[in-house]
Amino acid sequence: MLHLLDLRKNKDQIVQKLKIKNFDAHALVSSAISKDDERKTIQQKSDELLSEQNKIAKQIGQFFKSGKIDQANELKQSSSNLKKESQKLLSSLHKIEDDIFNILVQIPNVPHDSVPNGNSEMDNEILDEYGTKPILEKNALCHWEIAEKYKLIDFKLGNKITGSGFPVFTGKGAKLQRALISFFLDENINAGYEEFLPPSVVNSDSMFGTGALPDKEGQMYHIQSDNLYLIPTAEVPVTNFFRNTIIKDFPIKCTAYTPCFRREAGSYGKDVRGLNRLHQFDKVEIVQIEHPENSYNTLDKMVKHVSSILKKLELPFRIVKLCGGDLSFTSSLTYDFEVYSAAQDRWLEVSSVSNFESFQSNRLKLRFKDTDGKSKLCHTLNGSALALPRIYAAILENNQSDSGIRLPDVLHSYSGFEYIK
RNA sequence: GGUGAGGUGGCCGAGUGGCUUAAGGCGCACGCUUGGAAAGCGUGUAAACGGGAAACUGUUUCGGGGGUUCGAAUCCCUUCCUCACCGCCA
């Protein structure tokens, strides 16, 4: 959610920049500002009335104490009248505040100056490509076939006990999953992130704080009996640690492994084959809270960090800067990481590293004290480091040969084996 | 699930309708003191939204929401959460 003061200050610029997201904000921004003008007028009047009532109430107290009952009763009447008036004002104040809020939540975050124009993922800018695509034998298998051949993942068993999109990892397959989680966490800890293991279920305040509510209600699993939500990413619990706080020392660097739950309503077709798109998957997330002056510098560092992990895994990957049309509602600038999955001959998104600037902080009331003594909004950033399923798929596909699957060297000490045969 | 006790500032904690401008303490900041430090003493110490060039100032906030009253941290309703004991249980 954008901050009204920013909207007032940079109205034209913001409207202009949002066009890159193919969003015409003109009408919304104008009406938010004019409603805010109205709000100020009402607040001024209502503050005056309340102030008057407070004075009268004190006066009445004095009169009662000194036994001047008649004078007190007179004042009571006038205060009653004032109260009726101020109650009307207060209810219109609340109404207009709701209106403004409902407008603000419809306006997406302002894209960074460097975001390229474009309508879809076709227009994203490929910044860098690392590694070389492996040349596979003609009889090379896709990861779901490999998983079945070597008994690493049992999709049918998942269907039986839960449904599609909920795979069961078995034997060395389960061990590999656990190895990847540990490896990612250790890489993040070595880069200065503090590890957390949060709940996988959060309340609606938390979902609202990071923007999943009200925008994505239908995409989440909701436990109605307790009004709790299964988290779609660790970003939600971890960023909400800092809801309603004033930060003293920057940066704050957190990492967390969690399962992630997504309903993926509306997804279908070959994209959902195997591990490509799941309802439950594992992910290790990194989250940073930064001073606004440093946040883009920090975003670059996060990009370098994620790159370094992918290099260690010996996977070919590319870094993509999202164009305006593909950028999420809440993000100012996002870099996607895609690994090459050889048997599918596809680039698969495995990480998305974003700077949200103060868009989340505004909802979260996440602030710091600036040198002028005033509260300012922090910047929040996060990224996957990394999402497991597609990494898993790429490792299986890219490293297959007649003699089995060779695991990248960095995983050996975690998995306890070098080959899957 | 049952019963009971609670939710007050950064933290602890007092506060049963006007004397609260939320006592007192801790912490923190600044100053005095000192050769330097500690101790001691003094001063200050929340957020949001307004008005004002500024000094300053108005309103709101004692878990959330609603109500009673001229006036609510305090009374009533409702809801959420925490703790303790019991029951069940990995």
Side-chain angles (χ1 to χ4, degrees), chain A residues 2-11 14 36 40:
Chain A
L2 295 176
H3 201 283
L4 244 175
L5 288 177
D6 290 337
L7 276 184
R8 297 187 81 102
K9 225 186 282 173
N10 309 311
K11 179 187 168 194
I14 288 174
D36 192 46
K40 285 188 190 179

Side-chain angles (χ1 to χ4, degrees), chain A residues 40-80:
Chain A
K40 285 188 190 179
T41 315
I42 296 172
Q43 189 186 332
Q44 250 167 286
K45 280 187 202 159
S46 112
D47 279 2
E48 271 172 40
L49 283 182
L50 289 171
S51 175
E52 186 63 23
Q53 287 172 64
N54 287 340
K55 279 182 201 152
I56 291 175
K58 274 178 197 157
Q59 186 67 54
I60 291 173
Q62 296 294 322
F63 281 147
F64 273 126
K65 233 181 288 172
S66 51
K68 298 173 184 166
I69 308 295
D70 290 347
Q71 295 181 48
N73 283 332
E74 249 173 72
L75 279 181
K76 271 194 196 180
Q77 189 53 47
S78 68
S79 185
S80 285

Side-chain angles (χ1 to χ4, degrees), chain A residues 22 59 84 90 98 137 175 216 239 284 289 314 375:
Chain A
N22 301 323
Q59 186 67 54
K84 277 176 203 156
L90 278 177
D98 281 353
E137 306 284 330
K175 190 84 186 281
K216 294 179 184 162
T239 312
V284 177
I289 314 236
E314 303 164 36
S375 306

Side-chain angles (χ1 to χ4, degrees), chain A residues 70-289:
Chain A
D70 290 347
Q71 295 181 48
N73 283 332
E74 249 173 72
L75 279 181
K76 271 194 196 180
Q77 189 53 47
S78 68
S79 185
S80 285
N81 293 338
L82 281 179
K83 191 177 181 182
K84 277 176 203 156
E85 229 179 302
S86 66
Q87 272 178 335
K88 275 185 208 161
L89 281 177
L90 278 177
S91 75
S92 59
L93 188 63
H94 290 143
K95 165 90 172 56
I96 205 161
E97 280 169 350
D98 281 353
D99 288 349
I100 293 171
F101 176 82
N102 287 327
I103 292 168
L104 289 180
V105 294
Q106 292 176 57
I107 303 174
N109 199 2
V110 179
H112 187 257
D113 286 337
S114 73
V115 170
N117 284 303
N119 297 314
S120 73
E121 58 182 293
M122 304 297 290
D123 303 313
N124 292 339
E125 195 179 304
I126 297 166
L127 296 183
D128 263 316
E129 200 171 314
Y130 298 90
T132 46
K133 296 181 181 178
I135 316 245
L136 298 184
E137 306 284 330
K138 281 199 177 139
N139 59 352
L141 304 175
C142 289
H143 69 268
W144 52 88
E145 295 163 327
I146 298 170
E148 187 175 5
K149 178 178 175 185
Y150 295 104
K151 294 188 174 19
L152 303 175
I153 303 172
D154 194 331
F155 290 98
K156 286 179 187 156
L157 196 56
N159 286 343
K160 176 183 173 185
I161 58 161
T162 307
S164 81
F166 293 93
V168 176
F169 292 79
T170 60
K172 280 189 172 174
K175 190 84 186 281
L176 174 56
Q177 183 84 345
R178 188 149 56 88
L180 281 166
I181 293 168
S182 295
F183 168 64
F184 292 151
L185 282 171
D186 284 348
E187 287 294 307
N188 296 340
I189 291 164
N190 290 337
Y193 292 86
E194 185 181 357
E195 183 181 353
F196 293 87
L197 188 54
S200 304
V201 169
V202 299
N203 57 32
S204 54
D205 284 346
S206 296
M207 279 303 184
F208 176 79
T210 35
L213 285 179
D215 315 332
K216 294 179 184 162
E217 169 93 58
Q219 288 300 327
M220 293 182 300
Y221 291 98
H222 183 203
I223 305 167
Q224 272 167 333
S225 56
D226 297 291
N227 195 26
L228 297 171
Y229 292 84
L230 298 193
I231 57 171
T233 160
E235 166 196 344
V236 176
V238 172
T239 312
N240 274 281
F241 291 163
F242 306 98
R243 165 153 44 91
N244 221 348
T245 57
I246 292 179
I247 302 297
K248 297 227 169 79
D249 297 305
F250 290 110
I252 290 178
K253 301 173 76 175
C254 305
T255 184
Y257 153 73
T258 66
C260 301
F261 302 89
R262 301 183 182 180
R263 293 186 62 227
E264 301 291 358
S267 297
Y268 58 90
K270 67 175 175 161
D271 281 1
V272 305
R273 202 71 200 272
L275 295 172
N276 289 346
R277 190 176 294 278
L278 301 171
H279 289 307
Q280 176 178 340
F281 63 96
D282 290 319
K283 183 158 64 69
V284 177
E285 186 80 357
I286 49 178
V287 173
Q288 292 214 40
I289 314 236

